[in-house]
Each structure stands twice: as structure tokens, then as C-alpha cells.
Amino acid sequence: MHFKLKKCDIFIDYAFILVLSLVAVFNSSRLLYLLLFSFLHEMGHLSALLICKSEPYEMRLSYYGFAIRYEDNLPIIKECAVLLSGPMVNLILYLFFKDDINLILFLLNCLPAYPLDVGRIVRLFSLKASRILSIITIVLICILCVYMLIYNKSYSLIFVTVYLIIYSINYS
């Protein structure tokens, strides 16, 4: 599904509608909160972007969450502010609600792996450092994922791990 809001293209993938349907069918409040807090995270980016007098050209809602795309012509300080604003929203929400979803979103986006927020900041300063830190971070997450699968029977990191691996293969 595609429509335009002013100059911004809005895309809603059918997979996102499927995720919303699964939330409704299984009455999963945790997944609903994850979607809500991910949305607020992106609104933090959007707010900072608008404060920096820039606008998005694309917003996408898909199976992995929300994404905002904008021109890469911001000064580096403003770009860092835009990138840090999303995790800061999650940190503030965590401090207010004391919930693990916002803490996980905050910590996850503070990892130095591209395309996560701090990984994007590292990439602004050094492409080589970004690649090295992304590989190290992904390897450590894979080890943690295997550990959690074996000892805790927890599957929570699998989606994040697979996403980061696929993204790093496609965009590095």
C-alpha cells in the first residue's frame, strides 16, 4: 500500500498488516507494545529531523518495524542528534514506565552495528571502523543468541540476529 503525505511517500507493507492481524488474533500485548514503542522511537527521529529543518522523503511500515528515510545532507552534529533522538525516546520511556521493551530497544540501538542508530553514527565518522565494529557486534550477538537458545530456551534474539546478518550482507 502506498500513498503520499505532502512530499513524503508512505509505504505500508502487507507483511506489516499481517503482523497487526497476528497481534489482534493472539491478543499479544507485548508485541503491540513493541510496535508502539518502535513507532515512538521513529517519531523521536522524525521530531529531531523536523527541528533540524529537514523532512523525510519516505516512511515505511514493514514486518521489521518502522523506518524513516531522509536526505543525507545534514551537518554531522545534526545527523548525530537525529540518530540519537530515537534511543533517547526509549530511554525516557523506560525511566517513566520501567518496562523491559524500551530498555531493550534503547540498548539494541546503542550497539555499534550498522544499521542500528549508534552504528550509523560510527559510519558517519569511519566506514572502516563501522564495518569492523558491525562484524564484531554481530558475532557477539550470534554467540549470545546460541547461548540463550541452549541454556535459556529463549528465542528472542533470533530475529534481531537474522535481521542484522541479512542487512549487513546486503548493505556492506
Side-chain angles (χ1 to χ4, degrees):
M1 194 178 326
H2 171 250
F3 59 95
K4 205 167 190 76
L5 184 64
K6 291 189 179 186
K7 298 177 192 174
C8 184
D9 288 310
I10 311 288
F11 294 94
I12 302 174
D13 293 349
Y14 292 111
F16 179 75
I17 296 170
L18 175 65
V19 168
L20 286 180
S21 300
L22 291 173
V23 168
V25 168
F26 293 109
N27 195 19
S28 175
S29 62
R30 298 217 16 107
L31 187 53
L32 183 62
Y33 284 129
L34 177 62
L35 291 172
L36 172 65
F37 294 141
S38 296
F39 176 77
L40 293 174
H41 172 102
E42 290 303 319
M43 292 303 99
H45 290 306
L46 179 62
S47 298
L49 187 63
L50 295 173
I51 289 169
C52 290
K53 307 232 185 297
S54 188
E55 293 181 1
Y57 64 82
E58 180 182 302
M59 296 174 78
R60 182 175 294 274
L61 288 78
S62 67
Y63 65 92
Y64 65 87
F66 306 94
I68 296 173
R69 291 197 168 77
Y70 54 93
E71 298 296 327
D72 292 335
N73 57 0
L74 286 175
I76 201 160
I77 296 298
K78 288 184 177 183
E79 181 75 20
C80 289
V82 169
L83 290 169
L84 287 174
S85 62
M88 289 302 108
V89 166
N90 292 120
L91 180 60
I92 292 166
L93 289 169
Y94 170 72
L95 293 172
F96 186 73
F97 292 114
K98 304 286 188 225
D99 65 299
D100 58 339
I101 295 173
N102 277 303
L103 180 61
I104 290 167
L105 287 171
F106 169 73
L107 293 174
L108 182 66
N109 279 286
C110 287
L111 292 174
Y114 187 81
L116 301 173
D117 294 328
V118 170
R120 289 179 186 270
I121 291 172
V122 172
R123 193 177 189 104
L124 290 172
F125 293 97
S126 171
L127 184 59
K128 185 176 181 179
S130 172
R131 288 183 177 153
I132 292 168
L133 286 172
S134 288
I135 290 169
I136 291 169
T137 302
I138 290 169
V139 167
L140 291 174
I141 288 176
C142 286
I143 292 168
L144 181 60
C145 185
V146 169
Y147 174 84
M148 289 179 68
L149 280 170
I150 293 171
Y151 294 105
N152 296 338
K153 306 289 189 256
S154 174
Y155 303 95
S156 58
L157 270 181
I158 291 175
F159 298 113
V160 172
T161 305
V162 170
Y163 169 73
L164 288 175
I165 291 170
I166 290 171
Y167 202 98
S168 66
I169 289 169
N170 288 334
Y171 296 100
S172 60

Short mmCIF file of all heavy atoms in Angstrom, two decimals, residues 48-97:
data_model
loop_
_atom_site.label_atom_id
_atom_site.label_comp_id
_atom_site.label_asym_id
_atom_site.label_seq_id
_atom_site.Cartn_x
_atom_site.Cartn_y
_atom_site.Cartn_z
N ALA A 48 13.29 15.20 15.74
CA ALA A 48 14.62 15.81 15.64
C ALA A 48 14.91 16.25 14.21
O ALA A 48 15.50 17.31 13.99
CB ALA A 48 15.69 14.83 16.12
N LEU A 49 14.48 15.46 13.26
CA LEU A 49 14.68 15.81 11.85
C LEU A 49 13.96 17.11 11.51
O LEU A 49 14.52 18.00 10.86
CB LEU A 49 14.17 14.66 10.97
CG LEU A 49 14.43 14.74 9.48
CD1 LEU A 49 15.93 14.71 9.19
CD2 LEU A 49 13.74 13.58 8.77
N LEU A 50 12.73 17.24 11.98
CA LEU A 50 11.95 18.47 11.72
C LEU A 50 12.56 19.67 12.45
O LEU A 50 12.59 20.77 11.92
CB LEU A 50 10.49 18.26 12.11
CG LEU A 50 9.73 17.22 11.28
CD1 LEU A 50 8.34 16.97 11.86
CD2 LEU A 50 9.66 17.63 9.82
N ILE A 51 13.06 19.45 13.67
CA ILE A 51 13.73 20.53 14.41
C ILE A 51 14.97 21.00 13.66
O ILE A 51 15.30 22.19 13.65
CB ILE A 51 14.09 20.07 15.85
CG1 ILE A 51 12.81 19.95 16.68
CG2 ILE A 51 15.08 21.02 16.52
CD1 ILE A 51 12.98 19.26 18.01
N CYS A 52 15.65 20.06 13.00
CA CYS A 52 16.85 20.39 12.21
C CYS A 52 16.49 20.96 10.84
O CYS A 52 17.36 21.11 9.98
CB CYS A 52 17.73 19.15 12.05
SG CYS A 52 18.51 18.62 13.57
N LYS A 53 15.22 21.25 10.64
CA LYS A 53 14.73 21.86 9.40
C LYS A 53 14.96 20.98 8.17
O LYS A 53 15.32 21.46 7.10
CB LYS A 53 15.35 23.24 9.20
CG LYS A 53 15.19 24.16 10.39
CD LYS A 53 14.62 25.48 10.00
CE LYS A 53 14.54 26.46 11.12
NZ LYS A 53 13.72 26.14 12.22
N SER A 54 14.73 19.70 8.36
CA SER A 54 14.79 18.75 7.25
C SER A 54 13.49 17.95 7.26
O SER A 54 12.74 18.01 8.23
CB SER A 54 16.00 17.83 7.41
OG SER A 54 16.17 17.03 6.27
N GLU A 55 13.24 17.25 6.18
CA GLU A 55 12.00 16.47 6.08
C GLU A 55 12.30 15.09 5.54
O GLU A 55 13.21 14.91 4.74
CB GLU A 55 11.00 17.17 5.15
CG GLU A 55 10.49 18.48 5.66
CD GLU A 55 9.48 19.11 4.72
OE1 GLU A 55 9.17 18.52 3.67
OE2 GLU A 55 9.00 20.21 5.04
N PRO A 56 11.50 14.11 5.94
CA PRO A 56 11.67 12.78 5.37
C PRO A 56 11.09 12.74 3.95
O PRO A 56 10.19 13.50 3.62
CB PRO A 56 10.86 11.88 6.30
CG PRO A 56 9.79 12.78 6.82
CD PRO A 56 10.43 14.14 6.93
N TYR A 57 11.65 11.88 3.13
CA TYR A 57 11.06 11.67 1.81
C TYR A 57 10.34 10.33 1.74
O TYR A 57 9.58 10.07 0.82
CB TYR A 57 12.11 11.79 0.69
CG TYR A 57 13.21 10.75 0.71
CD1 TYR A 57 13.01 9.49 0.16
CD2 TYR A 57 14.44 11.04 1.27
CE1 TYR A 57 14.02 8.55 0.18
CE2 TYR A 57 15.45 10.11 1.28
CZ TYR A 57 15.23 8.85 0.74
OH TYR A 57 16.23 7.91 0.77
N GLU A 58 10.56 9.47 2.77
CA GLU A 58 9.89 8.17 2.78
C GLU A 58 9.71 7.68 4.20
O GLU A 58 10.61 7.82 5.03
CB GLU A 58 10.71 7.15 1.98
CG GLU A 58 10.08 5.78 1.94
CD GLU A 58 10.93 4.77 1.19
OE1 GLU A 58 11.21 5.01 0.00
OE2 GLU A 58 11.33 3.76 1.80
N MET A 59 8.56 7.10 4.46
CA MET A 59 8.30 6.40 5.72
C MET A 59 7.73 5.04 5.35
O MET A 59 6.87 4.94 4.48
CB MET A 59 7.32 7.19 6.59
CG MET A 59 7.86 8.53 7.03
SD MET A 59 6.67 9.53 7.92
CE MET A 59 6.72 8.77 9.50
N ARG A 60 8.26 4.00 6.01
CA ARG A 60 7.85 2.64 5.66
C ARG A 60 7.48 1.87 6.92
O ARG A 60 8.20 1.90 7.91
CB ARG A 60 8.98 1.92 4.93
CG ARG A 60 8.64 0.52 4.48
CD ARG A 60 9.76 -0.08 3.66
NE ARG A 60 9.95 0.61 2.40
CZ ARG A 60 9.29 0.35 1.28
NH1 ARG A 60 8.36 -0.58 1.27
NH2 ARG A 60 9.55 1.01 0.17
N LEU A 61 6.34 1.20 6.85
CA LEU A 61 5.90 0.30 7.91
C LEU A 61 5.98 -1.10 7.32
O LEU A 61 5.31 -1.39 6.32
CB LEU A 61 4.47 0.60 8.34
CG LEU A 61 4.26 1.88 9.14
CD1 LEU A 61 4.26 3.10 8.24
CD2 LEU A 61 2.97 1.79 9.90
N SER A 62 6.83 -1.94 7.92
CA SER A 62 7.01 -3.28 7.38
C SER A 62 7.06 -4.29 8.52
O SER A 62 6.90 -3.93 9.68
CB SER A 62 8.28 -3.35 6.53
OG SER A 62 9.41 -3.18 7.35
N TYR A 63 7.34 -5.53 8.19
CA TYR A 63 7.34 -6.60 9.19
C TYR A 63 8.40 -6.38 10.27
O TYR A 63 8.27 -6.87 11.37
CB TYR A 63 7.55 -7.96 8.53
CG TYR A 63 8.90 -8.11 7.87
CD1 TYR A 63 9.96 -8.64 8.57
CD2 TYR A 63 9.10 -7.69 6.57
CE1 TYR A 63 11.21 -8.76 7.98
CE2 TYR A 63 10.34 -7.81 5.97
CZ TYR A 63 11.39 -8.35 6.68
OH TYR A 63 12.61 -8.46 6.08
N TYR A 64 9.46 -5.65 9.98
CA TYR A 64 10.51 -5.44 10.99
C TYR A 64 10.33 -4.14 11.75
O TYR A 64 11.11 -3.80 12.62
CB TYR A 64 11.90 -5.50 10.36
CG TYR A 64 12.19 -4.41 9.37
CD1 TYR A 64 12.69 -3.19 9.78
CD2 TYR A 64 11.93 -4.59 8.01
CE1 TYR A 64 12.94 -2.18 8.88
CE2 TYR A 64 12.19 -3.59 7.11
CZ TYR A 64 12.70 -2.40 7.54
OH TYR A 64 12.93 -1.42 6.64
N GLY A 65 9.31 -3.38 11.44
CA GLY A 65 9.05 -2.16 12.19
C GLY A 65 8.85 -0.95 11.30
O GLY A 65 8.29 -1.06 10.21
N PHE A 66 9.32 0.17 11.77
CA PHE A 66 9.13 1.45 11.10
C PHE A 66 10.48 2.00 10.66
O PHE A 66 11.48 1.81 11.34
CB PHE A 66 8.47 2.45 12.05
CG PHE A 66 7.21 1.95 12.66
CD1 PHE A 66 7.19 1.34 13.90
CD2 PHE A 66 6.01 2.07 11.97
CE1 PHE A 66 6.03 0.86 14.45
CE2 PHE A 66 4.83 1.60 12.51
CZ PHE A 66 4.84 0.99 13.76
N ALA A 67 10.49 2.70 9.55
CA ALA A 67 11.74 3.31 9.07
C ALA A 67 11.42 4.65 8.43
O ALA A 67 10.41 4.80 7.74
CB ALA A 67 12.43 2.40 8.06
N ILE A 68 12.30 5.60 8.67
CA ILE A 68 12.18 6.93 8.07
C ILE A 68 13.44 7.16 7.24
O ILE A 68 14.56 6.96 7.72
CB ILE A 68 12.07 8.02 9.15
CG1 ILE A 68 10.79 7.83 9.96
CG2 ILE A 68 12.12 9.40 8.53
CD1 ILE A 68 10.66 8.76 11.15
N ARG A 69 13.25 7.59 6.01
CA ARG A 69 14.39 7.91 5.15
C ARG A 69 14.36 9.40 4.85
O ARG A 69 13.30 9.97 4.62
CB ARG A 69 14.32 7.09 3.87
CG ARG A 69 14.57 5.63 4.14
CD ARG A 69 14.90 4.87 2.88
NE ARG A 69 15.39 3.55 3.17
CZ ARG A 69 14.64 2.52 3.52
NH1 ARG A 69 13.35 2.68 3.65
NH2 ARG A 69 15.17 1.35 3.76
N TYR A 70 15.56 9.99 4.84
CA TYR A 70 15.69 11.41 4.57
C TYR A 70 17.01 11.66 3.86
O TYR A 70 17.89 10.80 3.82
CB TYR A 70 15.59 12.22 5.86
CG TYR A 70 16.55 11.79 6.95
CD1 TYR A 70 17.79 12.40 7.08
CD2 TYR A 70 16.22 10.77 7.84
CE1 TYR A 70 18.68 12.01 8.07
CE2 TYR A 70 17.09 10.38 8.82
CZ TYR A 70 18.32 10.99 8.93
OH TYR A 70 19.20 10.60 9.91
N GLU A 71 17.15 12.84 3.31
CA GLU A 71 18.38 13.19 2.58
C GLU A 71 19.57 13.18 3.53
O GLU A 71 19.47 13.54 4.69
CB GLU A 71 18.24 14.59 1.95
CG GLU A 71 17.13 14.71 0.93
CD GLU A 71 17.33 13.84 -0.29
OE1 GLU A 71 18.50 13.63 -0.70
OE2 GLU A 71 16.32 13.35 -0.82
N ASP A 72 20.72 12.79 3.01
CA ASP A 72 21.94 12.71 3.81
C ASP A 72 22.75 14.01 3.78
O ASP A 72 23.96 13.98 3.82
CB ASP A 72 22.83 11.57 3.28
CG ASP A 72 22.22 10.21 3.52
OD1 ASP A 72 21.42 10.07 4.45
OD2 ASP A 72 22.56 9.29 2.76
N ASN A 73 22.08 15.13 3.73
CA ASN A 73 22.81 16.39 3.61
C ASN A 73 22.82 17.21 4.91
O ASN A 73 23.13 18.40 4.89
CB ASN A 73 22.23 17.23 2.47
CG ASN A 73 20.74 17.50 2.66
OD1 ASN A 73 20.15 17.07 3.63
ND2 ASN A 73 20.15 18.20 1.71
N LEU A 74 22.51 16.60 6.04
CA LEU A 74 22.56 17.30 7.32
C LEU A 74 24.01 17.43 7.79
O LEU A 74 24.82 16.52 7.55
CB LEU A 74 21.78 16.53 8.38
CG LEU A 74 20.26 16.55 8.32
CD1 LEU A 74 19.68 15.62 9.38
CD2 LEU A 74 19.73 17.94 8.51
N PRO A 75 24.34 18.53 8.46
CA PRO A 75 25.66 18.60 9.09
C PRO A 75 25.81 17.45 10.09
O PRO A 75 24.82 16.98 10.66
CB PRO A 75 25.65 19.95 9.81
CG PRO A 75 24.56 20.73 9.15
CD PRO A 75 23.56 19.74 8.65
N ILE A 76 27.02 17.02 10.32
CA ILE A 76 27.26 15.81 11.12
C ILE A 76 26.69 15.91 12.54
O ILE A 76 26.18 14.93 13.07
CB ILE A 76 28.77 15.46 11.13
CG1 ILE A 76 28.95 14.00 11.49
CG2 ILE A 76 29.55 16.37 12.03
CD1 ILE A 76 30.28 13.43 11.08
N ILE A 77 26.74 17.09 13.15
CA ILE A 77 26.19 17.25 14.50
C ILE A 77 24.68 17.06 14.49
O ILE A 77 24.12 16.38 15.36
CB ILE A 77 26.56 18.65 15.08
CG1 ILE A 77 28.07 18.78 15.25
CG2 ILE A 77 25.84 18.91 16.39
CD1 ILE A 77 28.69 17.80 16.22
N LYS A 78 24.00 17.64 13.51
CA LYS A 78 22.55 17.47 13.41
C LYS A 78 22.19 16.02 13.08
O LYS A 78 21.21 15.50 13.60
CB LYS A 78 21.98 18.42 12.36
CG LYS A 78 21.98 19.87 12.80
CD LYS A 78 21.32 20.76 11.79
CE LYS A 78 21.27 22.20 12.29
NZ LYS A 78 20.57 23.09 11.35
N GLU A 79 22.99 15.40 12.23
CA GLU A 79 22.75 13.99 11.90
C GLU A 79 22.86 13.12 13.15
O GLU A 79 22.04 12.24 13.39
CB GLU A 79 23.76 13.52 10.84
CG GLU A 79 23.58 12.09 10.41
CD GLU A 79 22.40 11.85 9.50
OE1 GLU A 79 21.92 12.81 8.87
OE2 GLU A 79 21.95 10.70 9.43
N CYS A 80 23.88 13.38 13.96
CA CYS A 80 24.04 12.65 15.23
C CYS A 80 22.84 12.89 16.16
O CYS A 80 22.36 11.95 16.81
CB CYS A 80 25.34 13.03 15.92
SG CYS A 80 26.81 12.42 15.10
N ALA A 81 22.37 14.11 16.21
CA ALA A 81 21.20 14.43 17.05
C ALA A 81 19.97 13.67 16.57
O ALA A 81 19.21 13.12 17.39
CB ALA A 81 20.94 15.93 17.05
N VAL A 82 19.78 13.61 15.26
CA VAL A 82 18.63 12.88 14.71
C VAL A 82 18.77 11.40 15.05
O VAL A 82 17.80 10.75 15.48
CB VAL A 82 18.52 13.08 13.18
CG1 VAL A 82 17.51 12.13 12.56
CG2 VAL A 82 18.13 14.53 12.87
N LEU A 83 19.96 10.84 14.89
CA LEU A 83 20.16 9.41 15.15
C LEU A 83 20.03 9.07 16.63
O LEU A 83 19.51 8.00 16.98
CB LEU A 83 21.52 8.97 14.61
CG LEU A 83 21.63 8.95 13.09
CD1 LEU A 83 23.07 8.76 12.65
CD2 LEU A 83 20.73 7.88 12.49
N LEU A 84 20.48 9.94 17.51
CA LEU A 84 20.39 9.67 18.95
C LEU A 84 19.00 9.91 19.52
O LEU A 84 18.68 9.40 20.60
CB LEU A 84 21.41 10.52 19.70
CG LEU A 84 22.86 10.08 19.54
CD1 LEU A 84 23.79 11.08 20.22
CD2 LEU A 84 23.08 8.69 20.10
N SER A 85 18.17 10.67 18.82
CA SER A 85 16.86 11.01 19.37
C SER A 85 15.95 9.80 19.53
O SER A 85 15.16 9.75 20.47
CB SER A 85 16.19 12.08 18.50
OG SER A 85 15.99 11.57 17.19
N GLY A 86 16.06 8.81 18.66
CA GLY A 86 15.24 7.60 18.79
C GLY A 86 15.55 6.83 20.06
O GLY A 86 14.65 6.56 20.87
N PRO A 87 16.83 6.47 20.29
CA PRO A 87 17.16 5.77 21.54
C PRO A 87 16.85 6.60 22.79
O PRO A 87 16.46 6.04 23.82
CB PRO A 87 18.67 5.51 21.43
CG PRO A 87 18.96 5.53 19.98
CD PRO A 87 17.97 6.50 19.37
N MET A 88 16.98 7.92 22.69
CA MET A 88 16.67 8.76 23.85
C MET A 88 15.19 8.68 24.21
O MET A 88 14.84 8.68 25.39
CB MET A 88 17.08 10.21 23.59
CG MET A 88 18.57 10.44 23.58
SD MET A 88 19.38 9.95 25.12
CE MET A 88 20.24 8.48 24.61
N VAL A 89 14.34 8.58 23.20
CA VAL A 89 12.90 8.40 23.46
C VAL A 89 12.69 7.10 24.24
O VAL A 89 11.96 7.08 25.23
CB VAL A 89 12.08 8.39 22.14
CG1 VAL A 89 10.68 7.87 22.36
CG2 VAL A 89 12.04 9.79 21.54
N ASN A 90 13.36 6.02 23.81
CA ASN A 90 13.21 4.75 24.50
C ASN A 90 13.77 4.81 25.92
O ASN A 90 13.19 4.22 26.84
CB ASN A 90 13.88 3.61 23.73
CG ASN A 90 13.16 3.32 22.43
OD1 ASN A 90 13.76 3.45 21.37
ND2 ASN A 90 11.89 2.97 22.50
N LEU A 91 14.86 5.52 26.12
CA LEU A 91 15.42 5.67 27.47
C LEU A 91 14.45 6.43 28.37
O LEU A 91 14.19 6.01 29.50
CB LEU A 91 16.77 6.38 27.43
CG LEU A 91 17.45 6.60 28.77
CD1 LEU A 91 17.72 5.28 29.48
CD2 LEU A 91 18.74 7.41 28.60
N ILE A 92 13.89 7.51 27.88
CA ILE A 92 12.92 8.29 28.66
C ILE A 92 11.69 7.44 28.98
O ILE A 92 11.20 7.44 30.12
CB ILE A 92 12.54 9.59 27.91
CG1 ILE A 92 13.74 10.53 27.87
CG2 ILE A 92 11.33 10.26 28.55
CD1 ILE A 92 13.61 11.68 26.90
N LEU A 93 11.19 6.71 27.98
CA LEU A 93 10.03 5.84 28.22
C LEU A 93 10.36 4.75 29.23
O LEU A 93 9.53 4.39 30.08
CB LEU A 93 9.54 5.22 26.91
CG LEU A 93 8.86 6.19 25.95
CD1 LEU A 93 8.66 5.54 24.58
CD2 LEU A 93 7.53 6.68 26.51
N TYR A 94 11.58 4.21 29.15
CA TYR A 94 11.99 3.20 30.13
C TYR A 94 12.02 3.79 31.54
O TYR A 94 11.53 3.17 32.49
CB TYR A 94 13.36 2.61 29.78
CG TYR A 94 13.90 1.77 30.91
CD1 TYR A 94 13.34 0.52 31.20
CD2 TYR A 94 14.93 2.22 31.71
CE1 TYR A 94 13.80 -0.24 32.25
CE2 TYR A 94 15.40 1.47 32.77
CZ TYR A 94 14.84 0.24 33.04
OH TYR A 94 15.29 -0.50 34.10
N LEU A 95 12.59 4.97 31.68
CA LEU A 95 12.67 5.59 33.00
C LEU A 95 11.28 5.89 33.55
O LEU A 95 11.06 5.84 34.77
CB LEU A 95 13.51 6.86 32.94
CG LEU A 95 15.00 6.65 32.63
CD1 LEU A 95 15.69 7.99 32.41
CD2 LEU A 95 15.67 5.85 33.73
N PHE A 96 10.34 6.18 32.66
CA PHE A 96 8.98 6.50 33.09
C PHE A 96 8.17 5.23 33.39
O PHE A 96 7.51 5.14 34.42
CB PHE A 96 8.29 7.34 32.02
CG PHE A 96 6.94 7.85 32.41
CD1 PHE A 96 6.80 8.87 33.33
CD2 PHE A 96 5.80 7.29 31.86
CE1 PHE A 96 5.55 9.33 33.71
CE2 PHE A 96 4.54 7.74 32.23
CZ PHE A 96 4.43 8.77 33.16
N PHE A 97 8.22 4.25 32.50
CA PHE A 97 7.38 3.04 32.63
C PHE A 97 8.09 1.86 33.29
O PHE A 97 7.43 0.90 33.69
CB PHE A 97 6.86 2.59 31.26
CG PHE A 97 5.88 3.52 30.65
CD1 PHE A 97 6.19 4.21 29.49
CD2 PHE A 97 4.63 3.72 31.22
CE1 PHE A 97 5.28 5.07 28.91
CE2 PHE A 97 3.71 4.58 30.65
CZ PHE A 97 4.04 5.26 29.50
#
